[in-house]
Amino acid sequence: MLQKTITIEAQKTKLSVALHRMQQNNELCDVYLECKDGVVAAHSLILLSTWTSFPCKEELQKCCNQKVPAHIPMKNVLQESLTQFVSFLYTGMCSP
């Protein structure tokens, strides 16, 4: 039997927008990326599912399993650059 998949693009967009808004408001964030000049909060689920080469994946997974916030040092990265990158992970959009 042939199965059909129903996709509602607006729902995907709505979810992406809601998660990004939560990230921007530091709601339910469980990862803190410590940059050269600040900190970027995020959700481990988003980072682990969209950033396939996440530099501290094992450390992040360990914190998630223990249900404690992860503080990941990224001291060579500027906050503005990392904020833009994380925003891209949430929305799929990049602004110059």
Side-chain angles (χ1 to χ4, degrees):
M1 183 190 312
L2 185 63
Q3 294 183 350
K4 292 185 178 183
T5 301
I6 298 172
T7 302
I8 302 171
E9 292 299 322
Q11 180 62 21
K12 290 186 341 186
T13 301
K14 185 178 175 181
L15 176 62
S16 175
V17 168
L19 289 170
H20 189 232
R21 187 178 327 109
M22 290 175 70
Q23 182 264 337
Q24 290 176 317
N25 293 328
N26 197 11
E27 295 176 34
L28 302 175
C29 292
D30 57 351
V31 181
Y32 299 91
L33 305 170
E34 300 172 350
C35 311
K36 187 176 193 173
D37 56 344
V39 176
V40 177
H43 301 98
S44 58
L45 179 64
I46 299 298
L47 296 181
L48 290 171
S49 63
T50 58
W51 190 353
T52 55
S53 61
F54 186 75
C56 302
K57 191 172 190 171
E58 290 177 14
E59 181 181 341
L60 181 53
Q61 287 173 328
K62 182 180 173 184
C63 289
C64 291
N65 292 339
Q66 295 174 353
K67 296 183 174 43
V68 296
H71 294 268
I72 309 294
M74 304 190 84
K75 299 296 183 186
N76 293 330
V77 181
L78 293 174
Q79 183 178 10
E80 183 177 341
S81 298
L82 191 57
T83 297
Q84 288 179 359
F85 180 70
V86 169
S87 180
F88 171 76
L89 296 177
Y90 277 86
T91 65
M93 296 183 291
C94 184
S95 51

